[in-house]
């Protein structure tokens, strides 16, 4: 399809939503460029998996060329499985079971998804470009300014620059995210150690949230098993694109209070893993083993925040997607799915306006009017779930950790 450059879209941030929108627009023949602060595509490990629900999968299906969507499904884990809530000794409180239909909720490896989203965008993703401001003027009406003083002209600017968005204060004044009391240290550990899976059969297809008796402490883990090896699947469906290794792993997260995170730990891999090890004393031996065998360079510390509903959109031809506008704590697996949903929705409205000759600011306003209700419903759901599970709402925590586990058998015997 030929690309006309009289209408050009500049996206700040090559994360999930930025790349998904770029795929959508490129497929529709719209001139689109993505500007990313990182110096290259795979400089961070991004080593964890992500659960894609029906919204995330639908957005990918609408945005990606068919072979790339098939690649996401082929390399993902098997659909279905369970989410188990247990006490710290892995005694079941209750279990949620997911449907195992072909397009139902499934886990995908984040690095693999990133490589899929980058496929075919050659020359459209520009690295080492840190967005700093949106200005009116230039040949297309707007200019995106970078921290090094350079600018690029655009008809539409989209901020997809994540939770620390540099453009948010300008585009949605008064909508800075609110801090929460909670934080998470995330890691990954090899699934197979000494030739055997570290996860017992009973938990093979389960994510597990183990709640400590002490409110405000919990441990999450789940194994990521690649359906087809990325090397084979990429060779078949996206030859020439980078295929990650495809070694199965366990992704885990220790949830703790922000006040328990000593200053100076952020960015220090060893200190973060040591903190996770100290805080997981008292949990089941399987959990402690996961922390002890973690791959150091995949350790990440996140301070959880919740987005605030924008009251005003300051520039009609500029908008925002994903964590930049609706950050949420990672409870319920909505953040990335909502970001992907934004991308497909904005892409749809921009392409429709172009083909009907409608003003682009009306398309953007329609996107914002539809996005805010579903996105902030997800923010509220994630924040409520965090409060219930981490103990700031005491009654459910007590039932989950003290009452229900006593009614169930031990899931994983302790050695
Ligand atoms: C451990 C963990 C597990 C998670 N699991 C799930 C899950 O299972 N399901 C789910 O739906 N969600 C999950 N999430 C949430 C999900 O990862 C985020 O909601 C999602 O990545 C947001 O996408 P985004 O496009 O808004 O931003 P991001 O994917 O964060 O991308 C933002 C991009 O912008 C770049 N950037 C930043 N500043 C600038 C700048 N000034 N200029 C240019 N570029 C910039 C960044 O380098 C980055 O590449 C999880 C989060 C965490 C931390």
């Amino acid at each position: 399809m030929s690309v006309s450059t009289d209408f050009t879209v500049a996206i700040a941030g090559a994360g999930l939503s930025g790349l998904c929108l770029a795929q959508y627009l490129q497929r529709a023949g719209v001139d689109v460029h993505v500007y990313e602060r990182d110096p290259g595509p795979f400089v961070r490990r991004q080593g964890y998996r992500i659960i894609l629900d029906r919204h995330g999968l639908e957005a990918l299906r609408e945005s990606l060329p068919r072979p790339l969507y098939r690649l996401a499904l082929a390399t993902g884990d098997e659909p279905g499985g369970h989410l188990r809530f247990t006490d710290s000794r892995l005694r079941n409180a209750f279990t949620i079971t997911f449907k195992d239909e072909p397009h139902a909720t499934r886990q995908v490896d984040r690095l693999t998804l990133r490589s899929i989203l980058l496929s075919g965008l050659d020359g459209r993703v520009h690295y080492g470009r840190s967005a700093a401001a949106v200005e009116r003027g230039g040949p297309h009406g707007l200019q995106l300014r970078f921290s090094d003083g350079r600018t690029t002209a655009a008809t539409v600017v989209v901020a997809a620059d994540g939770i620390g968005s540099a453009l948010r204060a300008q585009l949605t004044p008064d909508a800075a995210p609110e801090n929460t009391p909670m934080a998470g240290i995330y890691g990954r550990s090899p699934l197979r150690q000494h030739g055997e899976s570290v996860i017992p059969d009973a938990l093979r297809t389960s994510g597990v949230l183990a709640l400590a008796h002490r409110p405000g402490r919990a441990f999450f883990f789940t194994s990521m098993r690649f359906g087809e090896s990325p090397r084979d699947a990429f060779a078949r469906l996206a030859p020439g694109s980078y295929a990650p290794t495809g070694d199965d792993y366990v992704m885990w997260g220790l949830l703790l209070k922000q006040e328990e995170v000593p200053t100076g730990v952020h960015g220090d891999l060893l200190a973060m893993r040591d903190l996770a090890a100290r805080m997981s004393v008292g949990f089941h031996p399987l959990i402690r083993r996961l922390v002890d065998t973690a791959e150091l360079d995949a350790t990440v510390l996140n301070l959880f925040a919740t987005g605030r509903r924008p009251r005003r959109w300051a520039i009609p031809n500029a908008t925002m997607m994903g964590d930049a506008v609706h950050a949420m704590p990672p409870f319920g697996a909505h953040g990335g799915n909502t970001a992907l949903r934004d991308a497909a929705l904005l892409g749809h409205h921009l392409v429709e306006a172009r083909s009907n000759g409608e003003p682009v600011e009306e398309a953007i306003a329609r996107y914002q009017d539809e996005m805010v209700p579903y996105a902030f419903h997800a923010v509220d759901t994630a924040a409520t779930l965090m409060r219930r599970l981490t103990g700031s709402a005491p009654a459910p925590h007590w039932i989950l950790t003290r009452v229900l586990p006593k009614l169930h058998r031990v899931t994983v015997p302790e050695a």
Side-chain angles (χ1 to χ4, degrees), residues 26-274:
Q26 167 156 285
R27 248 182 115 189
V30 174
D31 186 47
V32 57
H33 290 267
V34 186
Y35 300 91
E36 166 59 44
R37 182 181 59 184
D38 284 348
F42 301 111
V43 291
R44 282 179 290 134
R45 279 289 296 272
Q46 320 224 3
Y48 48 85
R49 69 80 185 101
I50 181 163
I51 294 179
L52 292 179
D53 65 15
R54 67 189 170 88
H55 296 298
L57 286 166
E58 180 63 16
L60 290 177
R61 200 180 60 75
E62 286 175 22
S63 308
L64 293 172
R66 187 66 37 202
L68 292 183
Y69 179 66
R70 281 173 44 214
L71 186 53
L73 295 186
T75 50
D77 209 335
E78 56 194 81
H82 313 278
L83 177 58
R84 291 176 194 275
F85 297 82
T86 74
D87 70 359
S88 60
R89 314 306 293 190
L90 298 181
R91 290 180 303 183
N92 241 15
F94 71 94
T95 302
I96 298 173
T97 299
F98 300 109
K99 290 184 190 155
D100 66 351
E101 296 157 354
H103 295 273
T105 296
R106 67 178 64 213
Q107 303 191 110
V108 297
D109 172 54
R110 184 143 179 151
L111 194 61
T112 307
L113 180 60
R114 183 169 176 74
S115 187
I116 291 170
L117 285 167
L118 281 164
S119 298
L121 293 181
D122 313 325
R124 303 215 157 258
V125 185
H126 311 276
Y127 297 98
R129 306 290 290 274
S130 185
V134 184
E135 294 167 355
R136 292 174 209 258
H140 296 299
L142 288 181
Q143 303 208 103
L144 178 59
R145 177 171 293 282
F146 302 100
S147 56
D148 60 7
R150 285 186 287 176
T151 56
T152 189
T155 321
V156 172
V157 170
V158 182
D161 50 346
I163 189 161
S165 173
L167 303 181
R168 180 173 46 232
Q170 188 187 4
L171 299 184
T172 56
D174 310 317
E178 212 170 337
N179 198 22
T180 77
M182 295 299 300
I185 300 175
Y186 293 92
R188 59 178 261 174
S189 314
L191 176 63
R192 267 171 274 284
Q193 299 178 18
H194 310 297
E196 281 183 15
S197 169
V198 288
I199 300 296
D201 250 13
L203 301 181
R204 205 184 83 84
T205 58
S206 293
V208 177
L209 184 70
L211 300 165
H213 279 196
R214 172 202 183 116
R217 182 88 47 89
F219 194 96
F220 175 77
F221 66 90
T222 180
S223 36
M224 169 68 213
R225 294 176 168 82
F226 289 83
E228 186 178 348
S229 109
R231 196 164 7 137
D232 296 347
F234 273 73
R236 193 159 49 80
L237 294 163
S241 294
Y242 167 70
T245 64
D247 294 331
D248 296 341
Y249 58 89
V250 183
M251 173 243 172
W252 55 260
L254 174 90
L255 307 176
L256 71 171
K257 293 196 170 146
Q258 287 195 18
E259 66 194 29
E260 295 174 303
V261 179
T263 41
V265 164
H266 218 132
D268 181 339
L269 297 172
L270 211 51
M272 289 191 282
R273 202 187 57 185
D274 286 351

Side-chain angles (χ1 to χ4, degrees), residues 257-343:
K257 293 196 170 146
Q258 287 195 18
E259 66 194 29
E260 295 174 303
V261 179
T263 41
V265 164
H266 218 132
D268 181 339
L269 297 172
L270 211 51
M272 289 191 282
R273 202 187 57 185
D274 286 351
L275 180 62
R278 274 202 311 282
M279 297 284 172
S280 54
V281 169
F283 279 93
H284 191 282
L286 169 61
I287 287 176
R288 299 204 303 276
R289 181 173 178 194
L290 291 176
V291 177
D292 289 344
T293 55
E295 299 160 9
L296 196 57
D297 62 345
T299 316
V300 175
L301 169 66
N302 260 287
L303 306 180
F304 302 157
T306 48
R308 267 192 274 234
R309 278 176 177 69
R311 274 178 281 162
R312 186 161 73 83
W313 297 90
I315 301 180
N317 278 15
T319 191
M320 307 180 73
M321 303 188 298
D323 283 4
V325 59
H326 48 67
M328 61 188 88
F331 289 80
H334 299 302
N337 287 294
T338 312
L340 292 169
R341 185 177 179 182
D342 297 350

Side-chain angles (χ1 to χ4, degrees), residues 14 255 350 362 398:
L255 307 176
L350 289 177
E362 286 179 17
W398 183 77

